[in-house]
Amino acid sequence: MSKRTRVAAVAALGALVVSACSASVVPDSEDAAPQHGGSLVVGLEGSWVSLDPMRATTYVSFSVLQTIYDPLFDLDENGDVVPNLATGYEMSDDGLVYTVDLEQGISFQDGTPFDADAVVTNFDRVRDPANGCSCLGELGVLDAVEAVDESTVRFTLNRPQAGFPVMVLGGAAGLMGSPRAIEETGGDLAKDPVGTGPFVLDQEVPDNSVRVKAWDDYRDPERPYLDSVEFRVIADSDSRYSSLTSTAIDVADNVSVTWLNDAELNPSLEIRPQGASGSNFVMFQMGEDSPFQDPRARQAACMALDPELIDEALYGGIRLTGQESPFPTESRWDLGEVDGYSSYDPEQAKEIVDELGGISFELNFTNSPDNVRVGQALAAQWEVVGIDAKIRPMDQPTLVENAFGHNFDAMFYRWRGAMDPDGNVTRWFHSSLATPDTPSSNYNLVSDEELDQLMTSAAETTDQDERMDRYRAVAERLAALTPYCYVWGADWNRIMLTNVHGIPDRPDNIMMLRDAYVVE
């Protein structure tokens, strides 16, 4: 069933929906031309991790950050890389050198020139392991970054990496901060976030709200259209939706599917289903002293779970269940069933639990009402086979910090997904990042030489069919190791007032507001 068909199907799920208060009437402005002025208030499910791009991992963080910072490259509606601060690149025949040309005449918001030296400064910062960039998993492929001239940068790789432009130049590492601000803050841009983006920081209330205002000297004189944007943390999906229907906010991100029926019947609201580039999964800590160090424990925990039953009970059966690899259902890299994946088998799970003398652990997840219900359902299914799971909800920044610090037994987690398949595996599972005493994106501390070799091989080729075959081998090795149980795809529903325009649908779900405008 396609995403839009699933949204329509929610209309039949009246038993799941409690009618919301009627929205204030918003004029239908479908054909209105872009207008300058006005403000936008966005309701977010959680807080941004930081206003420093080095800490970016979540949808929320990237949506906030990309009002202030521009990337070297961006994505189009198909997930393909397109120029942004860069004008293009050339790749050497051996795939080891990328020569990137930059836009000229651009300045950072503090007046510092954007040039090749600025790009080198940014990459020197994020490549330094001491700085703990969340993007280190993607940067291991880089050997050198050099300014060829004022508007040309050469990136030299230690091995071919087909996804380099998407994952590195268009990812967190590609979000450019002012070299002056980097120096003056001691390398912590969260203290003074300065980029080349369409908005500048106006006010930040940590874990509550952040407001940005239009930068008058933005490189495109016609943009941004909005005078300001305010992001508000409204963790409860029901509260986010009611804030939208009362027009206290203009956009509600990641609204629970239980409200889609109500929204479809409301002429003042527009539902914008986003792609399913990411995944929701249970991940297991595999390091020393973990209750999941034994692979049989991980396999039993997966065999005990029936995501389809949880989906049916909580959401009426419309989530993207059935995923068996890091490559999400309905994405361009969807592998379907994977040989060896530990699918639902409660009898076998109970046998393993008995062999191990029991399994007891703590499950971490974000403290949204939706996730609390999912956490309770997971714990209930584990209890059936004799697994004792204590649920522990927490705020999103703490969850992310615990994940990077390898400080968990098991965690219900959502990854926003990567447009290149290597971004869904190497940063998570490469043994070079299995550093128990140092934060890294290998949250589980997976260390497997065979898996390393398979991931490296898959990342090198540019042929689509060959890559699919190689990533299937990666998925089969992961199925044997069982660091994750996949629950469902990270499908995403954005709902906005009908007078809000110019926010593109993107396969990575990030909310880009450069072209956004409101019609009064």
Side-chain angles (χ1 to χ4, degrees):
M1 191 186 298
S2 73
K3 172 63 68 176
R4 296 189 184 275
T5 303
R6 279 195 304 276
V7 169
V10 179
L13 303 175
L16 290 175
V17 180
V18 179
S19 180
C21 298
S22 298
S24 303
V25 176
V26 175
D28 184 355
S29 54
E30 182 177 352
D31 299 323
Q35 299 181 13
H36 286 93
S39 61
L40 192 73
V41 182
V42 178
L44 299 174
E45 62 166 351
S47 179
W48 52 101
V49 175
S50 169
L51 292 182
D52 188 331
M54 279 209 308
R55 311 294 172 223
T57 57
T58 64
Y59 298 98
V60 168
S61 293
F62 275 96
S63 294
V64 173
L65 287 166
Q66 293 205 51
T67 61
I68 299 171
Y69 304 93
D70 280 327
L72 293 173
F73 288 86
D74 201 358
L75 300 176
D76 64 15
E77 65 277 6
N78 298 314
D80 295 320
V81 71
V82 292
N84 196 309
L85 286 175
T87 61
Y89 69 86
E90 291 185 2
M91 183 184 73
S92 62
D93 291 341
D94 60 7
L96 294 178
V97 179
Y98 285 81
T99 303
V100 176
D101 297 319
L102 307 176
E103 290 275 8
Q104 300 183 49
I106 297 174
S107 295
F108 290 93
Q109 294 156 354
D110 60 4
T112 305
F114 169 74
D115 55 19
D117 287 337
V119 174
V120 173
T121 296
N122 273 267
F123 272 89
D124 284 348
R125 183 175 83 110
V126 297
R127 292 175 64 210
D128 184 348
N131 292 328
C133 183
S134 64
C135 58
L136 276 177
E138 287 84 32
L139 296 179
V141 71
L142 261 179
D143 261 358
V145 184
E146 307 162 278
V148 177
D149 56 39
E150 192 174 90
S151 60
T152 310
V153 184
R154 180 188 298 122
F155 295 85
T156 303
L157 282 55
N158 50 47
R159 57 180 171 81
Q161 169 57 277
F164 179 78
V166 174
M167 294 196 307
V168 176
L169 303 180
L175 291 172
M176 295 289 101
S178 163
R180 182 192 303 172
I182 290 172
E183 181 179 4
E184 292 178 352
T185 62
D188 184 3
L189 282 174
K191 296 177 180 177
D192 186 18
V194 179
T196 65
F199 297 90
V200 297
L201 178 65
D202 187 23
Q203 183 183 51
E204 180 189 19
V205 181
D207 301 323
N208 182 282
S209 66
V210 61
R211 186 170 65 241
V212 294
K213 60 183 180 181
W215 180 34
D216 293 337
D217 294 325
Y218 185 58
R219 56 194 167 103
D220 183 341
E222 288 298 310
R223 291 172 176 79
Y225 296 115
L226 295 165
D227 290 335
S228 65
V229 176
E230 180 182 349
F231 297 96
R232 294 180 189 168
V233 178
I234 308 174
D236 177 49
S237 179
D238 296 350
S239 298
R240 246 183 348 270
Y241 184 69
S242 64
S243 295
L244 181 68
T245 60
S246 68
T247 67
I249 63 175
D250 304 290
V251 180
D253 216 18
N254 195 24
V255 175
S256 171
V257 295
T258 59
W259 286 114
L260 297 187
N261 179 55
D262 190 271
E264 282 203 337
L265 300 175
N266 192 320
S268 295
L269 302 180
E270 180 184 6
I271 303 172
R272 298 285 289 274
Q274 304 299 296
S277 61
S279 307
N280 290 273
F281 46 83
V282 177
M283 62 182 180
F284 306 107
Q285 177 55 253
M286 296 167 54
E288 293 184 7
D289 301 322
S290 166
F292 292 106
Q293 189 174 15
D294 190 320
R296 293 175 298 166
R298 304 192 295 271
Q299 291 161 2
C302 288
M303 290 175 181
L305 297 182
D306 184 354
E308 290 187 4
L309 181 60
I310 297 175
D311 173 34
E312 189 66 39
L314 298 183
Y315 303 108
I318 66 169
R319 303 304 298 262
L320 291 167
T321 56
Q323 185 174 332
E324 297 188 357
S325 78
F327 314 112
T329 304
E330 292 195 359
S331 74
R332 67 168 71 179
W333 299 99
D334 182 4
L335 293 176
E337 294 184 0
V338 174
D339 289 344
Y341 182 77
S342 298
S343 54
Y344 183 55
D345 188 343
E347 292 183 2
Q348 180 66 22
K350 192 173 189 317
E351 288 182 16
I352 296 174
V353 173
D354 291 342
E355 288 174 9
L356 295 174
I359 301 171
S360 179
F361 67 96
E362 187 177 85
L363 176 71
N364 296 174
F365 50 87
T366 57
N367 54 7
S368 71
D370 260 8
N371 278 351
V372 170
R373 289 190 287 268
V374 173
Q376 291 169 338
L378 294 171
Q381 291 195 337
W382 280 317
E383 185 179 11
V384 169
V385 302
I387 296 176
D388 176 27
K390 296 177 176 62
I391 61 174
R392 185 187 172 203
M394 59 188 62
D395 63 81
Q396 188 175 66
T398 300
L399 187 85
V400 173
E401 181 181 356
N402 285 352
F404 272 95
H406 323 294
N407 182 27
F408 62 94
D409 294 334
M411 188 176 283
F412 180 60
Y413 202 80
R414 183 188 66 213
W415 162 236
R416 66 186 181 84
M419 293 300 100
D420 186 87
D422 189 57
N424 287 328
V425 289
T426 296
R427 76 184 315 270
W428 297 95
F429 306 124
H430 200 278
S431 59
S432 64
L433 298 168
T435 53
D437 298 324
T438 305
S440 75
S441 56
N442 186 342
Y443 302 158
N444 316 56
L445 299 176
V446 178
S447 183
D448 185 80
E449 184 177 348
E450 180 182 345
L451 178 63
D452 290 348
Q453 293 172 351
L454 290 170
M455 292 187 296
T456 298
S457 172
E460 290 178 349
T461 181
T462 58
D463 181 84
Q464 173 84 4
D465 292 336
E466 181 64 25
R467 292 193 90 188
M468 289 291 285
D469 290 341
R470 295 186 187 186
Y471 279 113
R472 180 165 292 280
V474 169
E476 289 172 355
R477 183 58 187 160
L478 284 169
L481 295 170
T482 323
Y484 290 179
C485 302
Y486 295 96
V487 180
W488 43 62
D491 45 359
W492 194 272
N493 292 290
R494 182 173 297 147
I495 306 179
M496 60 187 69
L497 300 179
T498 54
N499 67 335
V500 176
H501 301 277
I503 303 177
D505 295 332
R506 293 169 55 99
D508 61 3
N509 301 354
I510 294 169
M511 190 184 310
M512 298 293 289
L513 299 177
R514 190 185 83 117
D515 298 327
Y517 61 97
V518 294
V519 178
E520 301 295 341

